[in-house]
Structure formats: C-alpha cells, structure tokens
Amino acid sequence: MPTQEDEEELLRSVALQNAKSILLARQRAERELIESKEALERKTEELTESNRRLRESEARYSTALAAGRMGSWETDLVARTRIWTKEGMALFGLTLADGRGHVGGDDDEYRSALHLDDRHLVQRFHELADKQDSFTSEYRVVWPDGTTLWLRGRGQVVARARDGKAQRLVSIVTDVTERKAAEDHIQFLMHEISHRSKNLLMVIQSIARRTARSAGTMEDFESRFERRLQGLAASHDVVVRKNWQGAPLAELVRQQLVPFVEVQSSRFELAGPDTIVTAEAAQTIGLAIHELATNAIKYGALSEPSGGVSISWALGENAGASPQLLLTWTERGGPPVLPPSRKGFGHVVIGEMVERSLNGRVTMEFAVEGLKWSVSIPATNLVTDQQPSLL
C-alpha cells in the first residue's frame, strides 16, 4: 500500500508534468502569436504596397486621360444614375460635387450638356446599347461659357437584364475639336484651291486670247505668252511661299523684275512701307508690273543703259473714302515717250484689268522724261489686322 510519501511524490510528478505542458503550450502559443503578428505585418506591407501601386496606377490613368483629352463615366439605367470621372466632367463642363449625375428628365446633365442639334442622339445611343455590346459616338457639347467641343468615343455595355436590355454601360470619349477644325479647314482649302484654279485658268485663257490677237506670228505668240505665264508664275510663287496669307508688295515687285535687270542695281528704286497685298491682288499687280517692265525694256527707260525706274507705294486717304494704297511706276532716262498708237494686251493689263480686278483707278502720263503709271486701290486689297486673308 502506497505510503503518504509516495502519494506526495506522485502529486509532485503530475504537477510538474502539468507545468511543463502549460509552459510548452504557452511557448507554442507565443510562437504562433509571433508568427501571426509577422504574417499580419507582411500582409499589411503587401496591402500597403498594393495600395501604393493602385494609387500610382490611378494617377497614371488620370494623367493619361487628361493628356489625351479623354474622359469617362458609368451609366446605370436601372438606378437612373451616372457616375463621372473628374476628366469626364471636365470635358462636359460639369461641376458635380460627388461626380454623381442623373439619367433622364430635366436633371440629366449629360443631355443638357449636348449641343441642341445633337440631343436627339441620346435616345439613339440607348437603342444601340439594347442591340449591341459596344457602339461609337460623335457629338458636340457646349460649356456654360459657350465653348463648344467635338467629342468622339465609345459606349460599352457591362450588364444586361434577362430580356437583353442594357442595364449598365461604361462610356469613354476624347476631345476631337482640333481634328474637326483641321478637317473643316482642309475642306475649305479644297474649295478654295478649286476656286483659285478656275480663276487662274480664266486669267491664262484671257492672256492667251489677247496675246494671240496682237501676235504677228506663232513664234511671236509663243514668246509673249511664255513670258506672261512666267510673270504669273512669279506672283504665284510669292503667294505660295507665304502659305496663301498674301504677298509682301516689295517681294512681289522684285520677283517680277528679276528677268529684266539686276534688281539690286541703281537702275531700280523701290520705296514704301511694309505692305501685304491679298493673294488675289498679288496676281493682278504682278501681271501689271510684268507688263510695265516688258514695255520699259522694249521701248522705255530700261531700253537705254542710263535709264531707270522708281517704284513707290504709300497708304493714304482718298477724298474722305476708305484708306487707299497708291502704287506708282515712274521711268526716267529713257528715249522720248509717245502714247501708243493702239491698245495691246499689255495696255489692257495695266489699265482695264487692274481697275476691274482691284476696284482701283489707274492714271498714265506719257511725259517726255518717261512713262508714269499709278494706281489707287482700296485697302480691302491689303492684308491687315482688320482685313485678314482668305486663308
């Protein structure tokens, strides 16, 4: 039979075992706690990093949308709500505090932002969403300050009802105002080129007909016609170099004189303020200067080594009328001048054609010292801040 000492020893042994078990359990619990804490810290770090990457991704996305002049929003046709991104609101000129809008009715900010002529498209977009998963769109929006933008984009259905009706869709658009303006400008240029080409052909036909009337032989016709076309081409070159924004009068005159004599020589004097004539006026003035130079080289001041020409222009008033440009050609040092016995094509160009084309008034003086020709034309033939060119 166990003695009291044996029982006490047994109790101490059991107590010691229990203490060891408790210690082991505590140690195991502490390790698990530490491991859980470390795992939690790792998860926290991973979540923090994921959030950071998400914020950076959202920032890049937002920057890309802004840089590309793009915007987006989500439409819930069931809840009748619309959730805008800030980029989308910026394109539509909207200022919704929480980015939440309304679908349908008078409070529909999307429809209200559309140009009046484009609002009918809203119903069309809803019909397309019921029939197909995605569709394109192009329309105008008008900001509260009156600014009009052209937008082009795509709608994508992301949820449908059992009957196939669209429930939610995401839309994204981009600002294509500059592209539309460029397209309109190209269309305008095409019409303008057609118009200018027809006018140029009419001028060439007139030159050909009138040159043929005064030419004695085919060789004479070819020579005169070619020179006149070269003069016309010289004016055209000046205008083209200036992108059809008009032609500097000084450059236009110099270009016409190049085939006849060294423009930088003392035989020519050019004087006048910086003046830009319209593309149409450049064509007529160029032909007139060409004819005057041709006549001077054949019969006038440029036919003599000592002869010269002064060309000047100035802006002034004409008896209370609108401002006028006075362009003058004055010859000196040539042979005695006599009025022509008949009016050839050159005389028609420097007289009738100039007056008719430029709405001007031409005067010619056959003085002993040389021909003096001048024309007064209204300022509508000039390119100024108030009178822009056609292009």
Side-chain angles (χ1 to χ4, degrees), residues 42 55 78 156 177 211 226 323 391:
R42 287 195 299 271
R55 287 193 299 271
V78 178
Q156 179 69 49
T177 306
T211 302
E226 182 179 357
L391 301 183

Side-chain angles (χ1 to χ4, degrees), residues 167-388:
Q167 291 183 324
R168 286 193 304 115
L169 61 150
V170 174
S171 302
I172 185 168
V173 295
T174 183
D175 182 358
V176 294
T177 306
E178 292 183 0
R179 191 206 73 190
K180 293 291 290 188
E183 290 176 352
D184 291 343
H185 187 60
I186 290 173
Q187 190 67 26
F188 170 78
L189 289 179
M190 295 300 294
H191 286 300
E192 189 62 25
I193 289 172
S194 175
H195 171 71
R196 293 185 190 279
S197 298
K198 291 177 181 177
N199 286 346
L200 187 60
L201 287 174
M202 291 177 61
V203 172
I204 293 174
Q205 289 173 342
S206 177
I207 292 174
R209 285 195 299 267
R210 292 183 177 273
T211 302
R213 292 174 188 171
S214 60
T217 65
M218 179 57 71
E219 290 77 11
D220 185 27
F221 167 79
E222 290 178 352
S223 177
R224 294 186 187 183
F225 186 60
E226 182 179 357
R227 288 197 302 271
R228 283 163 178 162
L229 287 185
Q230 289 173 347
L232 188 62
S235 300
H236 187 79
D237 288 343
V238 175
V239 174
V240 169
R241 283 198 295 272
K242 301 302 180 181
N243 297 320
W244 286 97
Q245 297 296 318
L249 185 54
E251 182 179 350
L252 177 66
V253 171
R254 290 191 184 97
Q255 193 69 22
Q256 290 295 338
L257 298 177
V258 166
F260 301 96
V261 70
E262 175 58 50
V263 179
Q264 302 300 328
S265 72
S266 59
R267 301 188 69 184
F268 277 105
E269 293 180 1
L270 271 66
D274 291 339
T275 304
I276 308 294
V277 297
T278 65
E280 292 77 8
Q283 180 176 281
T284 301
I285 293 173
L287 282 174
I289 296 298
H290 175 83
E291 292 300 330
L292 287 165
T294 300
N295 183 76
I297 204 76
K298 288 182 176 180
Y299 316 110
L302 299 182
S303 66
E304 298 285 348
S306 59
V309 176
S310 296
I311 305 170
S312 62
W313 57 91
L315 290 171
E317 300 291 335
N318 183 16
S322 60
Q324 301 279 310
L325 173 70
L326 179 63
L327 174 64
T328 303
W329 169 287
T330 305
E331 299 183 21
R332 63 182 186 281
V337 177
L338 296 175
S341 57
R342 63 184 181 87
K343 293 183 178 181
F345 177 66
H347 192 278
V348 172
V349 170
I350 64 177
E352 297 175 15
M353 182 179 289
V354 169
E355 289 186 332
R356 184 173 61 253
S357 300
L358 303 180
N359 193 27
R361 190 171 73 86
V362 172
T363 59
M364 282 184 281
E365 180 182 349
F366 297 95
V368 176
E369 59 273 16
L371 171 67
K372 182 177 181 179
W373 171 92
S374 63
V375 59
S376 179
I377 61 176
T380 51
N381 293 288
L382 307 180
V383 178
T384 64
D385 293 338
Q386 293 74 34
Q387 178 65 37

